């Protein structure tokens, strides 16, 4: 049995502060919502996708959803970071037009 993974919608809010660049919700195959996916910048400046997690007693975090293989992770990362790049480029272009 094989299932395909398609990101059918992305809603994103740019949040530039303390390493967090954006937070988003995605719809998978038009049927499942994954909320609170974060784009964070690591110490070397690379953008990374952090899946939704919950802070547990004791201070540790537990993933609430995560891809089960590298292919699924790549599909999600490519879609989310691609949308972030599109929105930040558009924002920069609009800012340049206004100034």
């Amino acid at each position: 049995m094989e299932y395909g993974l398609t990101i059918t919608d992305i809603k994103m809010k740019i949040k530039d502060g303390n390493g967090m660049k954006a937070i988003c919700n995605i719809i998978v195959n038009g049927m499942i919502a994954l909320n609170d996916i974060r784009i964070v910048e690591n110490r070397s400046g690379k953008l990374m996708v952090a899946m939704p997690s919950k802070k547990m007693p004791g201070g540790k975090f537990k993933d609430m959803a995560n891809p089960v293989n590298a292919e699924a992770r790549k599909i999600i990362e490519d879609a989310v970071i691609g949308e972030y790049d599109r929105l930040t480029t558009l924002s920069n272009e609009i800012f340049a037009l206004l100034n």
Side-chain angles (χ1 to χ4, degrees), residues 27-90:
I27 305 293
V28 178
N29 293 358
M31 297 185 278
I32 302 287
L34 291 175
N35 299 318
D36 299 328
I37 297 172
R38 296 171 314 284
I39 298 177
V40 295
E41 185 176 51
N42 67 15
R43 291 182 182 153
S44 64
K46 182 179 180 199
L47 295 179
M48 298 173 38
V49 174
M51 297 303 289
S53 60
K54 179 179 179 181
K55 191 171 187 176
M56 304 303 288
K60 291 189 178 187
F61 285 87
K62 177 180 172 89
D63 286 342
M64 302 310 295
N66 58 297
V68 296
N69 59 41
E71 179 184 9
R73 177 168 290 284
K74 181 164 177 25
I75 290 167
I76 293 169
E77 286 177 347
D78 289 352
V80 168
I81 291 179
E83 180 68 1
Y84 175 80
D85 288 342
R86 186 186 76 78
L87 289 175
T88 55
T89 298
L90 182 61

Side-chain angles (χ1 to χ4, degrees), residues 14-28:
I14 304 298
K15 303 231 182 221
D16 199 5
N18 290 342
M20 185 181 330
K21 296 297 184 179
I23 190 164
C24 71
N25 303 327
I26 65 173
I27 305 293
V28 178

